[in-house]
Amino acid sequence: MDNSRIDPWGSDHDTNYDRVSSRFGLDGINLEDLSNPGMLHTRGLIFAHRDLDVIMHANRRGSPFGVLTGLMPSGKMHLGHTMVIEQAKWYQSLGADVTVAVADLESLATRAVPLEKGRQVALEEYVSNYAAMGLDPEKTSVYFQSSRPEVQRLGFTLGRRTNLSELGSIYGFEGNTNLAHVQAPLVQVGDILHPMLDKFGGLRPVVVPVGVDQDPHIRLTRDIVSKSQWFNVRKSKNGGILISLSIQPENHRAFGVKQNLSVDKSERSKIISKIEHLVSSMGFSDIQTNPKHGTITIHAGTAHDVNDLRLELCKLERELGGIGLLPPSSSYHKFAIGLDGGKMSSSKPETTIFLNESIETMKRKIMKAHSGGKSTVEEHRRLGGDLETDVAFQYLKFFFEKDDAELTKIAKDYTSGKILAGEMKKLCAQQAEIWMNELTEKRAQWSDKISDFLADDAIQS
Ligand code: TRP
């Protein structure tokens, strides 16, 4: 049994994506299930998800859904960081509203970045590039963890649904872990869920595009949501769907639990018939209720109906005075390799390209990047190059070459030995230059309008 953890703050990510998926129960991406898949999907760069069908379902129906993602303002923004923004852009192209957290509390807790510094870095290094990358300012809102009390309040409130041992087993926290660090995941839980609050867009499905290193936070959030929900909805063993009441101190009154913890039968019947009513108004018949057990069975319900029911029951929970939160969906991108063939890391400038790098520096870095070519030309011509370990090809695939047909041709010519390693680097450098020039130009265009992307509470007076 594999007991390895994912450490969201470590630099060593497991890049055996099949292993990660099966260990943590991520689902693979099916292109047929996506409306209008983008380059990140068709190239397999987004490789897994949780509950993405909920999002696609909302999209097909024309119902609203939101995106929430975030980055720590701890260093300079580099190529690796662009992936979450590219993911967010794709969801935005389908109609999603996008909220981006500046994780300044997390940077403070885990990287000792003072809030003031985090703020400055975020504005200069990150938000300017979100703008340049083409997010739509009308449907994008960037906020700071430290300036949004609702996020912190929600994280604090939901903190009641977890405990030290759970945090220990998810993150490996121990007795000497500093408490700001312990709080950081709860703030992230607040980040992820707060767009569902009325003030921030209201109840709707939310998807979190991230690198797979962030999955522990998704798991924690989903677990907390499932514990906080007043109604559990699941497929029943005997077929159909089972709805059951989840009794908690917050809902004792609404669910007819008396002070001495005995059940007020008439109150209990009221709540059960409310649910029955709701379910039948959704078009289901053949509903069986059991007020004593606090359950409702929908015999003809299918897996697909579970999500619709969850949404409607969240609304009911809110009417009754609960928070009413849905579990977040998520999608995961792979990590591009570092320029040296190892891990890409902001703390090692020679492993990545920063978004404000000069063209010269960038080209120099690409020209000396790790290559998948053979050691002699003769051998390369005969055996061809290795695409997986060739940084120049990988960067074309992840970032710079948007044209699928062109990329396929380059791949074919490299594996057949027609293109040499040096030529591959030149191709990469060329495309990178075009990409970087465009980004720089767009950044300049937005430079005095960055506040269009900022939420009101992110603007300091
Ligand atoms: N933890 C993320 C990082 O390390 C940043 C982050 C904070 C985030 N809140 C988030 C990411 C919510 C996704 C969703 O970069």
Side-chain angles (χ1 to χ4, degrees):
M1 162 83 182
D2 174 8
N3 282 319
S4 61
R5 289 194 183 97
I6 295 177
D7 174 6
W9 301 283
S11 55
D12 220 16
H13 309 307
D14 187 349
T15 50
N16 183 335
Y17 297 107
D18 289 339
R19 178 167 64 204
V20 172
S21 295
S22 71
R23 168 140 167 73
F24 296 104
L26 309 179
D27 289 316
I29 297 278
N30 277 328
L31 290 180
E32 314 83 71
D33 298 341
L34 303 180
S35 349
N36 209 5
M39 143 189 150
L40 295 177
H41 307 101
T42 54
R43 298 182 184 182
L45 302 177
I46 297 176
F47 70 100
H49 69 93
R50 292 185 190 272
D51 282 356
L52 203 52
D53 54 313
V54 175
I55 301 299
M56 289 303 125
H57 186 53
N59 179 237
R60 276 191 299 270
R61 243 193 342 210
S63 323
F65 65 99
V67 172
L68 183 294
T69 190
L71 285 168
M72 274 204 261
S74 57
K76 293 170 171 223
M77 187 162 172
H78 63 67
L79 281 181
H81 297 130
T82 63
M83 309 265 312
V84 288
I85 304 300
E86 287 295 341
Q87 285 210 56
K89 259 172 66 183
W90 181 75
Y91 290 112
Q92 193 165 66
S93 76
L94 299 183
D97 59 278
V98 172
T99 311
V100 187
V102 173
D104 58 347
L105 290 177
E106 185 182 4
S107 296
L108 173 64
T110 66
R111 306 265 197 265
V113 179
L115 292 179
E116 269 316 303
K117 175 77 180 161
R119 177 171 193 90
Q120 181 201 342
V121 168
L123 295 175
E124 288 169 9
E125 283 284 336
Y126 289 77
V127 186
S128 58
N129 283 308
Y130 302 164
M133 287 182 66
L135 282 169
D136 173 2
E138 297 293 320
K139 300 201 89 186
T140 305
S141 169
V142 179
Y143 73 96
F144 292 80
Q145 287 178 328
S146 66
S147 332
R148 188 160 279 187
E150 295 86 350
V151 161
Q152 297 173 49
R153 210 180 290 152
L154 189 58
F156 194 97
T157 306
L158 294 171
R160 293 185 50 241
R161 307 284 170 210
T162 183
N163 58 37
L164 277 177
S165 3
E166 189 182 19
L167 293 192
S169 72
I170 296 180
Y171 300 104
F173 289 164
E174 287 175 1
N176 62 355
T177 304
N178 85 64
L179 288 185
H181 197 153
V182 176
Q183 290 187 61
L186 284 173
V187 177
Q188 185 149 342
V189 170
D191 286 329
I192 292 172
L193 298 173
H194 89 281
M196 289 180 224
L197 301 179
D198 287 336
K199 184 171 171 188
F200 298 99
L203 187 59
R204 67 198 183 294
V206 167
V207 58
V208 187
V210 276
V212 71
D213 62 319
Q214 297 293 304
D215 184 56
H217 302 308
I218 305 289
R219 264 182 275 137
L220 175 67
T221 309
R222 289 167 59 89
D223 184 53
I224 287 180
V225 167
S226 77
K227 287 178 187 152
S228 85
Q229 284 178 322
W230 288 14
F231 305 101
N232 294 325
V233 188
R234 57 178 173 78
K235 278 193 293 171
S236 145
K237 282 192 271 321
N238 321 318
I241 294 175
L242 184 76
I243 301 174
S244 52
L245 302 185
S246 164
I247 314 280
Q248 309 169 18
E250 290 79 357
N251 57 35
H252 277 180
R253 190 192 293 260
F255 285 0
V257 179
K258 291 192 281 199
Q259 225 149 41
N260 64 3
L261 298 184
S262 66
V263 175
D264 178 327
K265 289 208 182 96
S266 87
E267 286 298 315
R268 177 60 54 90
S269 297
K270 270 193 220 154
I271 186 76
I272 296 291
S273 54
K274 256 201 183 117
I275 300 172
E276 189 179 6
H277 203 80
L278 181 154
V279 171
S280 61
S281 75
M282 287 174 72
F284 294 102
S285 47
D286 202 3
I287 306 163
Q288 190 185 337
T289 65
N290 185 335
K292 194 158 166 233
H293 292 157
T295 59
I296 293 102
T297 309
I298 309 171
H299 292 291
T302 64
H304 208 73
D305 300 318
V306 168
N307 299 322
D308 291 341
L309 283 160
R310 284 214 174 106
L311 184 68
E312 293 308 314
L313 288 165
C314 270
K315 289 184 193 159
L316 178 60
E317 180 185 326
R318 288 182 180 202
E319 279 166 30
L320 298 170
I323 313 187
L325 298 168
L326 289 167
S329 303
S330 52
S331 54
Y332 304 97
H333 62 73
K334 294 184 180 173
F335 299 105
I337 44 175
L339 284 161
D340 60 357
K343 309 271 174 190
M344 188 187 274
S345 154
S346 21
S347 57
K348 294 195 207 128
E350 70 285 7
T351 65
T352 186
I353 293 167
F354 297 102
L355 300 192
N356 63 0
E357 205 117 69
S358 71
I359 301 283
E360 290 67 44
T361 312
M362 177 181 74
K363 282 185 161 172
R364 186 178 45 73
K365 283 182 168 182
I366 292 174
M367 293 312 289
K368 58 172 217 212
H370 182 82
S371 131
K374 296 291 184 298
S375 43
T376 66
V377 172
E378 184 277 322
E379 204 186 338
H380 189 92
R381 292 276 186 230
R382 191 158 45 84
L383 300 170
D386 176 24
L387 297 171
E388 288 308 307
T389 55
D390 196 275
V391 173
F393 176 76
Q394 289 295 317
Y395 285 18
L396 283 167
K397 176 173 166 184
F398 272 75
F399 309 112
F400 303 135
E401 180 54 76
K402 310 280 175 192
D403 183 338
D404 281 336
E406 190 57 32
L407 189 77
T408 312
K409 184 173 180 310
I410 294 173
K412 191 166 140 270
D413 289 348
Y414 198 54
T415 34
S416 72
K418 190 166 163 201
I419 294 182
L420 296 174
E423 292 166 341
M424 180 66 95
K425 288 180 180 176
K426 282 210 189 93
L427 284 173
C428 178
Q430 266 167 20
Q431 291 306 117
E433 179 168 2
I434 296 171
W435 184 91
M436 189 64 109
N437 279 335
E438 190 183 325
L439 189 77
T440 310
E441 198 178 302
K442 294 262 172 61
R443 204 165 47 221
Q445 282 168 16
W446 279 109
S447 65
D448 53 355
K449 297 186 296 246
I450 283 302
S451 56
D452 290 6
F453 290 85
L454 297 178
D456 289 345
D457 58 15
I459 296 169
Q460 249 174 7
S461 41

